[in-house]
Amino acid sequence: MDSVRHASSAPVASFQLSPSCALKLQKGDITVWSLDGSTDAIVNAANERMLGGGGVDGAIHRAAGPELLEACKKVPEVRAAVRCPTGEARITPAFRLPVAYVIHTVGPIYDMDRHPDVSLRNAYKNSLKVAKENNVQYIAFPAISCGVYRFPYKEASRIAISTVKEFSDGLKEVHFVLFSDELYNIWLETAQELL
Ligand code: AR6
C-alpha cells in the first residue's frame, strides 16, 4: 500500500485489485469526486423507487440538480413504485456533478433482507456491470447500506472489497469515498487484510 495526498488534501490509500486495476480509499464527500468527467461515474445508494431520499442519495440529487430527478422518473418501473429492485443498478447522466454518470443501486435493509450479504454483493456486482457496459473506467462507491439501512461496517467492508476485486476486470480504478473516519479506517483495515 502507498499513501499519497491528492489536491483535495484527503489522504488516498492505494492498493492493486489486479495488474490493471487500482483500488483507492479516501475519506470525503462523493459529490465532489471526479477523474476525467467523461469515463467516470459515482454510485448512489438509492432506494427502489429511485426518486431521491436522505443520506448520500439526497446529497447527490442536490448537487446534480433537478434534472437528475427528471432522468430517474424516466427509468421504467418494473412493478409499482419499483424502478431498481434491491441488488440491481440503473444508470443516468450526472448533470451538474463533475462526473459523466450516476449509477443508482439499492443495497439491502440489513434487518429486513433474508440474505443481506447476497444483496449487498449484488449491488456492487451489478453497479460494476452497468459501469462496464457504458465504458466507464473510473468508478467511486460510497459505503452502500451503511447508513439508514444499518449494515454492520466490518461485514459490509469485506463484501465491498472482495466483490470489487472479483469484478474489477475492464476498469482502471475503483474508489471508495467514505464519509467518516470510522468507515475509512475499517475499509483500510479490510483492504490490508484482503489485498
Ligand atoms: N459522500 C459519501 N458518503 C456519504 C455522503 C456523501 N456526500 N453522505 C452520506 N454518506 P445512506 P443506505 C454515507 O443512509 O444506508 C437514502 O434515504 C453515509 O455516512 O446514504 O444505503 C436512500 O434514498 C453512509 O456511510 O444509504 C435510501 O432510502 C453511506 O453514505 C436509503 O437512504 C450510506 O448511507 C439508503 O440507505
Side-chain angles (χ1 to χ4, degrees):
M1 184 200 83
D2 62 293
S3 187
V4 294
R5 279 174 188 273
H6 284 198
S8 68
S9 90
V12 179
S14 296
F15 299 82
Q16 283 305 123
L17 292 169
S18 72
S20 58
C21 185
L23 172 72
K24 303 209 174 202
L25 308 179
Q26 64 212 273
K27 196 188 131 186
D29 175 358
I30 202 167
T31 66
V32 299
W33 182 91
S34 74
L35 239 297
D36 65 4
S38 61
T39 66
D40 50 5
I42 62 167
V43 177
N44 182 16
N47 56 56
E48 291 189 330
R49 291 184 59 188
M50 254 187 79
L51 297 181
V56 72
D57 194 4
I60 288 172
H61 274 268
R62 278 193 299 278
E67 299 95 332
L68 183 60
L69 181 60
E70 293 312 309
C72 287
K73 284 181 185 163
K74 287 183 190 141
V75 172
E77 289 185 335
V78 295
R79 54 181 188 272
V82 175
R83 289 181 180 77
C84 184
T86 299
E88 295 192 17
R90 302 288 186 268
I91 193 165
T92 65
F95 302 101
R96 300 178 203 178
L97 289 165
V99 286
Y101 302 103
V102 178
I103 295 172
H104 308 259
T105 191
V106 181
I109 302 173
Y110 187 73
D111 43 19
M112 290 186 54
D113 197 292
R114 270 210 256 166
H115 300 288
D117 48 341
V118 175
S119 298
L120 188 62
R121 176 181 151 85
N122 285 340
Y124 282 106
K125 179 180 160 182
N126 286 316
S127 297
L128 294 167
K129 179 167 181 267
V130 168
K132 289 181 225 175
E133 286 167 0
N134 288 275
N135 301 313
V136 167
Q137 296 188 313
Y138 306 97
I139 187 168
F141 287 96
I144 297 164
S145 286
C146 289
V148 299
Y149 284 1
R150 296 180 300 276
F151 211 110
Y153 292 174
K154 186 66 187 178
E155 195 183 338
S157 70
R158 287 201 190 97
I159 293 167
I161 292 171
S162 61
T163 307
V164 301
K165 179 174 166 62
E166 194 178 345
F167 298 101
S168 63
D169 250 28
L171 292 160
K172 286 190 178 154
E173 293 179 10
V174 178
H175 291 231
F176 283 94
V177 181
L178 290 325
F179 211 47
S180 66
D181 284 325
E182 187 185 5
L183 275 168
Y184 175 77
N185 289 331
I186 289 172
W187 251 251
L188 188 58
E189 181 190 80
T190 299
Q192 286 161 344
E193 287 162 8
L194 297 183
L195 302 174

